[in-house]
PDB file of all heavy atoms in Angstrom:
ATOM      1  N   PRO A 379      16.386  29.421  17.462  1.00  0.00           N
ATOM      2  CA  PRO A 379      16.424  30.639  16.648  1.00  0.00           C
ATOM      3  C   PRO A 379      17.838  31.030  16.252  1.00  0.00           C
ATOM      4  O   PRO A 379      18.815  30.580  16.847  1.00  0.00           O
ATOM      5  CB  PRO A 379      15.801  31.697  17.570  1.00  0.00           C
ATOM      6  CG  PRO A 379      16.078  31.210  18.946  1.00  0.00           C
ATOM      7  CD  PRO A 379      16.030  29.707  18.867  1.00  0.00           C
ATOM      8  N   ASN A 380      17.937  31.860  15.229  1.00  0.00           N
ATOM      9  CA  ASN A 380      19.226  32.363  14.754  1.00  0.00           C
ATOM     10  C   ASN A 380      19.127  33.881  14.631  1.00  0.00           C
ATOM     11  O   ASN A 380      18.027  34.448  14.652  1.00  0.00           O
ATOM     12  CB  ASN A 380      19.586  31.713  13.414  1.00  0.00           C
ATOM     13  CG  ASN A 380      18.491  31.910  12.375  1.00  0.00           C
ATOM     14  OD1 ASN A 380      18.318  32.999  11.835  1.00  0.00           O
ATOM     15  ND2 ASN A 380      17.724  30.850  12.108  1.00  0.00           N
ATOM     16  N   PRO A 381      20.250  34.597  14.521  1.00  0.00           N
ATOM     17  CA  PRO A 381      20.220  36.070  14.506  1.00  0.00           C
ATOM     18  C   PRO A 381      19.363  36.675  13.393  1.00  0.00           C
ATOM     19  O   PRO A 381      18.704  37.699  13.606  1.00  0.00           O
ATOM     20  CB  PRO A 381      21.700  36.444  14.343  1.00  0.00           C
ATOM     21  CG  PRO A 381      22.460  35.287  14.896  1.00  0.00           C
ATOM     22  CD  PRO A 381      21.645  34.082  14.554  1.00  0.00           C
ATOM     23  N   VAL A 382      19.361  36.064  12.223  1.00  0.00           N
ATOM     24  CA  VAL A 382      18.563  36.603  11.114  1.00  0.00           C
ATOM     25  C   VAL A 382      17.074  36.452  11.429  1.00  0.00           C
ATOM     26  O   VAL A 382      16.274  37.371  11.230  1.00  0.00           O
ATOM     27  CB  VAL A 382      18.916  35.906   9.784  1.00  0.00           C
ATOM     28  CG1 VAL A 382      18.060  36.453   8.649  1.00  0.00           C
ATOM     29  CG2 VAL A 382      20.397  36.072   9.464  1.00  0.00           C
ATOM     30  N   TYR A 383      16.710  35.295  11.947  1.00  0.00           N
ATOM     31  CA  TYR A 383      15.318  35.054  12.346  1.00  0.00           C
ATOM     32  C   TYR A 383      14.875  36.049  13.420  1.00  0.00           C
ATOM     33  O   TYR A 383      13.772  36.605  13.358  1.00  0.00           O
ATOM     34  CB  TYR A 383      15.190  33.621  12.860  1.00  0.00           C
ATOM     35  CG  TYR A 383      13.884  33.317  13.585  1.00  0.00           C
ATOM     36  CD1 TYR A 383      12.718  33.027  12.876  1.00  0.00           C
ATOM     37  CD2 TYR A 383      13.819  33.319  14.976  1.00  0.00           C
ATOM     38  CE1 TYR A 383      11.531  32.747  13.538  1.00  0.00           C
ATOM     39  CE2 TYR A 383      12.639  33.046  15.642  1.00  0.00           C
ATOM     40  CZ  TYR A 383      11.499  32.751  14.928  1.00  0.00           C
ATOM     41  OH  TYR A 383      10.325  32.479  15.588  1.00  0.00           O
ATOM     42  N   GLU A 384      15.752  36.291  14.399  1.00  0.00           N
ATOM     43  CA  GLU A 384      15.418  37.209  15.489  1.00  0.00           C
ATOM     44  C   GLU A 384      15.185  38.627  14.970  1.00  0.00           C
ATOM     45  O   GLU A 384      14.275  39.338  15.431  1.00  0.00           O
ATOM     46  CB  GLU A 384      16.537  37.211  16.538  1.00  0.00           C
ATOM     47  CG  GLU A 384      16.698  35.887  17.275  1.00  0.00           C
ATOM     48  CD  GLU A 384      15.582  35.615  18.278  1.00  0.00           C
ATOM     49  OE1 GLU A 384      14.555  36.310  18.249  1.00  0.00           O
ATOM     50  OE2 GLU A 384      15.741  34.690  19.096  1.00  0.00           O
ATOM     51  N   ALA A 385      15.994  39.063  14.004  1.00  0.00           N
ATOM     52  CA  ALA A 385      15.802  40.398  13.426  1.00  0.00           C
ATOM     53  C   ALA A 385      14.463  40.472  12.696  1.00  0.00           C
ATOM     54  O   ALA A 385      13.738  41.477  12.798  1.00  0.00           O
ATOM     55  CB  ALA A 385      16.951  40.717  12.470  1.00  0.00           C
ATOM     56  N   ARG A 386      14.113  39.419  11.985  1.00  0.00           N
ATOM     57  CA  ARG A 386      12.848  39.412  11.257  1.00  0.00           C
ATOM     58  C   ARG A 386      11.658  39.385  12.214  1.00  0.00           C
ATOM     59  O   ARG A 386      10.595  39.928  11.909  1.00  0.00           O
ATOM     60  CB  ARG A 386      12.810  38.224  10.296  1.00  0.00           C
ATOM     61  CG  ARG A 386      13.810  38.367   9.163  1.00  0.00           C
ATOM     62  CD  ARG A 386      13.850  37.149   8.263  1.00  0.00           C
ATOM     63  NE  ARG A 386      14.858  37.314   7.217  1.00  0.00           N
ATOM     64  CZ  ARG A 386      15.169  36.382   6.323  1.00  0.00           C
ATOM     65  NH1 ARG A 386      14.557  35.205   6.344  1.00  0.00           N
ATOM     66  NH2 ARG A 386      16.083  36.621   5.412  1.00  0.00           N
ATOM     67  N   ARG A 387      11.807  38.736  13.351  1.00  0.00           N
ATOM     68  CA  ARG A 387      10.736  38.724  14.339  1.00  0.00           C
ATOM     69  C   ARG A 387      10.468  40.128  14.879  1.00  0.00           C
ATOM     70  O   ARG A 387       9.334  40.471  15.220  1.00  0.00           O
ATOM     71  CB  ARG A 387      11.087  37.799  15.506  1.00  0.00           C
ATOM     72  CG  ARG A 387      11.002  36.319  15.215  1.00  0.00           C
ATOM     73  CD  ARG A 387       9.629  35.790  14.993  1.00  0.00           C
ATOM     74  NE  ARG A 387       8.697  35.996  16.073  1.00  0.00           N
ATOM     75  CZ  ARG A 387       7.568  35.293  16.222  1.00  0.00           C
ATOM     76  NH1 ARG A 387       7.260  34.338  15.357  1.00  0.00           N
ATOM     77  NH2 ARG A 387       6.749  35.531  17.222  1.00  0.00           N
ATOM     78  N   LYS A 388      11.506  40.952  14.960  1.00  0.00           N
ATOM     79  CA  LYS A 388      11.322  42.325  15.431  1.00  0.00           C
ATOM     80  C   LYS A 388      10.436  43.121  14.466  1.00  0.00           C
ATOM     81  O   LYS A 388       9.615  43.937  14.893  1.00  0.00           O
ATOM     82  CB  LYS A 388      12.677  43.014  15.593  1.00  0.00           C
ATOM     83  CG  LYS A 388      13.502  42.484  16.753  1.00  0.00           C
ATOM     84  CD  LYS A 388      14.836  43.197  16.845  1.00  0.00           C
ATOM     85  CE  LYS A 388      15.686  42.627  17.984  1.00  0.00           C
ATOM     86  NZ  LYS A 388      17.008  43.296  18.062  1.00  0.00           N
ATOM     87  N   LEU A 389      10.609  42.859  13.171  1.00  0.00           N
ATOM     88  CA  LEU A 389       9.739  43.529  12.198  1.00  0.00           C
ATOM     89  C   LEU A 389       8.310  43.019  12.343  1.00  0.00           C
ATOM     90  O   LEU A 389       7.345  43.790  12.240  1.00  0.00           O
ATOM     91  CB  LEU A 389      10.254  43.288  10.775  1.00  0.00           C
ATOM     92  CG  LEU A 389       9.514  44.038   9.668  1.00  0.00           C
ATOM     93  CD1 LEU A 389       9.624  45.553   9.870  1.00  0.00           C
ATOM     94  CD2 LEU A 389      10.070  43.657   8.297  1.00  0.00           C
ATOM     95  N   LEU A 390       8.164  41.729  12.605  1.00  0.00           N
ATOM     96  CA  LEU A 390       6.832  41.163  12.840  1.00  0.00           C
ATOM     97  C   LEU A 390       6.175  41.826  14.051  1.00  0.00           C
ATOM     98  O   LEU A 390       4.974  42.111  14.041  1.00  0.00           O
ATOM     99  CB  LEU A 390       6.934  39.650  13.052  1.00  0.00           C
ATOM    100  CG  LEU A 390       5.633  38.923  13.421  1.00  0.00           C
ATOM    101  CD1 LEU A 390       4.580  39.109  12.341  1.00  0.00           C
ATOM    102  CD2 LEU A 390       5.901  37.443  13.658  1.00  0.00           C
ATOM    103  N   ASP A 391       6.957  42.101  15.087  1.00  0.00           N
ATOM    104  CA  ASP A 391       6.420  42.780  16.273  1.00  0.00           C
ATOM    105  C   ASP A 391       5.847  44.151  15.911  1.00  0.00           C
ATOM    106  O   ASP A 391       4.803  44.553  16.446  1.00  0.00           O
ATOM    107  CB  ASP A 391       7.515  42.949  17.331  1.00  0.00           C
ATOM    108  CG  ASP A 391       7.898  41.623  17.976  1.00  0.00           C
ATOM    109  OD1 ASP A 391       7.004  40.785  18.155  1.00  0.00           O
ATOM    110  OD2 ASP A 391       9.086  41.425  18.275  1.00  0.00           O
ATOM    111  N   LEU A 392       6.525  44.869  15.001  1.00  0.00           N
ATOM    112  CA  LEU A 392       6.016  46.181  14.576  1.00  0.00           C
ATOM    113  C   LEU A 392       4.725  46.034  13.767  1.00  0.00           C
ATOM    114  O   LEU A 392       3.828  46.870  13.865  1.00  0.00           O
ATOM    115  CB  LEU A 392       7.073  46.907  13.736  1.00  0.00           C
ATOM    116  CG  LEU A 392       8.362  47.336  14.443  1.00  0.00           C
ATOM    117  CD1 LEU A 392       9.227  48.160  13.502  1.00  0.00           C
ATOM    118  CD2 LEU A 392       8.060  48.128  15.709  1.00  0.00           C
ATOM    119  N   VAL A 393       4.638  44.967  12.981  1.00  0.00           N
ATOM    120  CA  VAL A 393       3.413  44.701  12.226  1.00  0.00           C
ATOM    121  C   VAL A 393       2.263  44.455  13.199  1.00  0.00           C
ATOM    122  O   VAL A 393       1.146  44.962  13.024  1.00  0.00           O
ATOM    123  CB  VAL A 393       3.596  43.490  11.282  1.00  0.00           C
ATOM    124  CG1 VAL A 393       2.258  43.089  10.668  1.00  0.00           C
ATOM    125  CG2 VAL A 393       4.593  43.823  10.180  1.00  0.00           C
ATOM    126  N   LEU A 394       2.526  43.670  14.247  1.00  0.00           N
ATOM    127  CA  LEU A 394       1.493  43.345  15.222  1.00  0.00           C
ATOM    128  C   LEU A 394       1.046  44.582  16.005  1.00  0.00           C
ATOM    129  O   LEU A 394      -0.097  44.660  16.471  1.00  0.00           O
ATOM    130  CB  LEU A 394       2.000  42.278  16.197  1.00  0.00           C
ATOM    131  CG  LEU A 394       2.314  40.910  15.573  1.00  0.00           C
ATOM    132  CD1 LEU A 394       2.841  39.959  16.626  1.00  0.00           C
ATOM    133  CD2 LEU A 394       1.091  40.322  14.897  1.00  0.00           C
ATOM    134  N   LEU A 395       1.935  45.560  16.151  1.00  0.00           N
ATOM    135  CA  LEU A 395       1.566  46.799  16.840  1.00  0.00           C
ATOM    136  C   LEU A 395       0.500  47.573  16.072  1.00  0.00           C
ATOM    137  O   LEU A 395      -0.348  48.241  16.660  1.00  0.00           O
ATOM    138  CB  LEU A 395       2.794  47.695  17.020  1.00  0.00           C
ATOM    139  CG  LEU A 395       3.661  47.452  18.249  1.00  0.00           C
ATOM    140  CD1 LEU A 395       4.882  48.347  18.201  1.00  0.00           C
ATOM    141  CD2 LEU A 395       2.876  47.708  19.525  1.00  0.00           C
ATOM    142  N   GLY A 396       0.554  47.475  14.733  1.00  0.00           N
ATOM    143  CA  GLY A 396      -0.415  48.207  13.930  1.00  0.00           C
ATOM    144  C   GLY A 396      -0.379  49.693  14.239  1.00  0.00           C
ATOM    145  O   GLY A 396       0.672  50.323  14.194  1.00  0.00           O
ATOM    146  N   ARG A 397      -1.543  50.251  14.610  1.00  0.00           N
ATOM    147  CA  ARG A 397      -1.623  51.687  14.925  1.00  0.00           C
ATOM    148  C   ARG A 397      -1.466  51.958  16.416  1.00  0.00           C
ATOM    149  O   ARG A 397      -1.609  53.095  16.849  1.00  0.00           O
ATOM    150  CB  ARG A 397      -2.968  52.251  14.453  1.00  0.00           C
ATOM    151  CG  ARG A 397      -3.125  52.309  12.938  1.00  0.00           C
ATOM    152  CD  ARG A 397      -4.339  53.166  12.577  1.00  0.00           C
ATOM    153  NE  ARG A 397      -4.502  53.309  11.147  1.00  0.00           N
ATOM    154  CZ  ARG A 397      -5.340  52.605  10.406  1.00  0.00           C
ATOM    155  NH1 ARG A 397      -6.083  51.687  10.979  1.00  0.00           N
ATOM    156  NH2 ARG A 397      -5.444  52.803   9.106  1.00  0.00           N
ATOM    157  N   HIS A 398      -1.201  50.923  17.203  1.00  0.00           N
ATOM    158  CA  HIS A 398      -1.063  51.129  18.639  1.00  0.00           C
ATOM    159  C   HIS A 398       0.125  52.028  18.942  1.00  0.00           C
ATOM    160  O   HIS A 398       1.071  52.142  18.162  1.00  0.00           O
ATOM    161  CB  HIS A 398      -0.896  49.794  19.363  1.00  0.00           C
ATOM    162  CG  HIS A 398      -2.115  48.934  19.303  1.00  0.00           C
ATOM    163  ND1 HIS A 398      -3.305  49.286  19.893  1.00  0.00           N
ATOM    164  CD2 HIS A 398      -2.331  47.734  18.697  1.00  0.00           C
ATOM    165  CE1 HIS A 398      -4.203  48.335  19.665  1.00  0.00           C
ATOM    166  NE2 HIS A 398      -3.638  47.389  18.940  1.00  0.00           N
ATOM    167  N   ALA A 399       0.108  52.625  20.123  1.00  0.00           N
ATOM    168  CA  ALA A 399       1.179  53.533  20.523  1.00  0.00           C
ATOM    169  C   ALA A 399       2.507  52.800  20.570  1.00  0.00           C
ATOM    170  O   ALA A 399       2.569  51.605  20.849  1.00  0.00           O
ATOM    171  CB  ALA A 399       0.860  54.127  21.903  1.00  0.00           C
ATOM    172  N   ALA A 400       3.572  53.508  20.282  1.00  0.00           N
ATOM    173  CA  ALA A 400       4.909  52.914  20.281  1.00  0.00           C
ATOM    174  C   ALA A 400       5.256  52.405  21.664  1.00  0.00           C
ATOM    175  O   ALA A 400       4.924  53.016  22.678  1.00  0.00           O
ATOM    176  CB  ALA A 400       5.943  53.954  19.842  1.00  0.00           C
ATOM    177  N   LEU A 401       5.917  51.270  21.680  1.00  0.00           N
ATOM    178  CA  LEU A 401       6.374  50.735  22.952  1.00  0.00           C
ATOM    179  C   LEU A 401       7.669  51.424  23.356  1.00  0.00           C
ATOM    180  O   LEU A 401       8.445  51.875  22.524  1.00  0.00           O
ATOM    181  CB  LEU A 401       6.586  49.219  22.836  1.00  0.00           C
ATOM    182  CG  LEU A 401       5.299  48.417  22.558  1.00  0.00           C
ATOM    183  CD1 LEU A 401       5.630  46.955  22.442  1.00  0.00           C
ATOM    184  CD2 LEU A 401       4.272  48.637  23.639  1.00  0.00           C
ATOM    185  N   SER A 402       7.921  51.440  24.633  1.00  0.00           N
ATOM    186  CA  SER A 402       9.038  52.237  25.141  1.00  0.00           C
ATOM    187  C   SER A 402      10.391  51.650  24.840  1.00  0.00           C
ATOM    188  O   SER A 402      11.368  52.356  24.711  1.00  0.00           O
ATOM    189  CB  SER A 402       8.891  52.418  26.655  1.00  0.00           C
ATOM    190  OG  SER A 402       8.867  51.159  27.294  1.00  0.00           O
ATOM    191  N   ASP A 403      10.473  50.329  24.724  1.00  0.00           N
ATOM    192  CA  ASP A 403      11.781  49.726  24.445  1.00  0.00           C
ATOM    193  C   ASP A 403      11.627  48.445  23.664  1.00  0.00           C
ATOM    194  O   ASP A 403      10.543  47.896  23.540  1.00  0.00           O
ATOM    195  CB  ASP A 403      12.559  49.471  25.745  1.00  0.00           C
ATOM    196  CG  ASP A 403      11.778  48.609  26.718  1.00  0.00           C
ATOM    197  OD1 ASP A 403      11.406  47.483  26.328  1.00  0.00           O
ATOM    198  OD2 ASP A 403      11.533  49.068  27.842  1.00  0.00           O
ATOM    199  N   SER A 404      12.748  47.958  23.129  1.00  0.00           N
ATOM    200  CA  SER A 404      12.733  46.757  22.284  1.00  0.00           C
ATOM    201  C   SER A 404      12.330  45.537  23.067  1.00  0.00           C
ATOM    202  O   SER A 404      11.779  44.582  22.527  1.00  0.00           O
ATOM    203  CB  SER A 404      14.111  46.545  21.643  1.00  0.00           C
ATOM    204  OG  SER A 404      15.096  46.396  22.646  1.00  0.00           O
ATOM    205  N   GLY A 405      12.611  45.529  24.366  1.00  0.00           N
ATOM    206  CA  GLY A 405      12.229  44.385  25.185  1.00  0.00           C
ATOM    207  C   GLY A 405      10.726  44.208  25.209  1.00  0.00           C
ATOM    208  O   GLY A 405      10.210  43.108  25.104  1.00  0.00           O
ATOM    209  N   ASN A 406       9.977  45.331  25.339  1.00  0.00           N
ATOM    210  CA  ASN A 406       8.521  45.243  25.309  1.00  0.00           C
ATOM    211  C   ASN A 406       8.030  44.791  23.954  1.00  0.00           C
ATOM    212  O   ASN A 406       7.083  44.032  23.837  1.00  0.00           O
ATOM    213  CB  ASN A 406       7.908  46.614  25.630  1.00  0.00           C
ATOM    214  CG  ASN A 406       8.037  46.971  27.090  1.00  0.00           C
ATOM    215  OD1 ASN A 406       8.200  46.088  27.927  1.00  0.00           O
ATOM    216  ND2 ASN A 406       7.968  48.260  27.394  1.00  0.00           N
ATOM    217  N   THR A 407       8.697  45.273  22.874  1.00  0.00           N
ATOM    218  CA  THR A 407       8.294  44.881  21.533  1.00  0.00           C
ATOM    219  C   THR A 407       8.409  43.379  21.345  1.00  0.00           C
ATOM    220  O   THR A 407       7.547  42.724  20.807  1.00  0.00           O
ATOM    221  CB  THR A 407       9.147  45.612  20.488  1.00  0.00           C
ATOM    222  OG1 THR A 407       9.018  47.007  20.683  1.00  0.00           O
ATOM    223  CG2 THR A 407       8.699  45.269  19.085  1.00  0.00           C
ATOM    224  N   THR A 408       9.510  42.820  21.827  1.00  0.00           N
ATOM    225  CA  THR A 408       9.736  41.390  21.684  1.00  0.00           C
ATOM    226  C   THR A 408       8.669  40.603  22.419  1.00  0.00           C
ATOM    227  O   THR A 408       8.176  39.604  21.932  1.00  0.00           O
ATOM    228  CB  THR A 408      11.128  41.009  22.226  1.00  0.00           C
ATOM    229  OG1 THR A 408      12.109  41.735  21.507  1.00  0.00           O
ATOM    230  CG2 THR A 408      11.387  39.524  22.078  1.00  0.00           C
TER     231      THR A 408
END
Side-chain angles (χ1 to χ4, degrees):
N380 55 74
V382 179
Y383 167 81
E384 294 287 13
R386 292 176 182 176
R387 286 291 302 199
K388 290 179 182 179
L389 185 61
L390 175 59
D391 289 325
L392 293 186
V393 171
L394 296 178
L395 274 175
R397 291 193 177 99
H398 293 295
L401 296 179
S402 59
D403 56 57
S404 59
N406 287 338
T407 303
T408 301

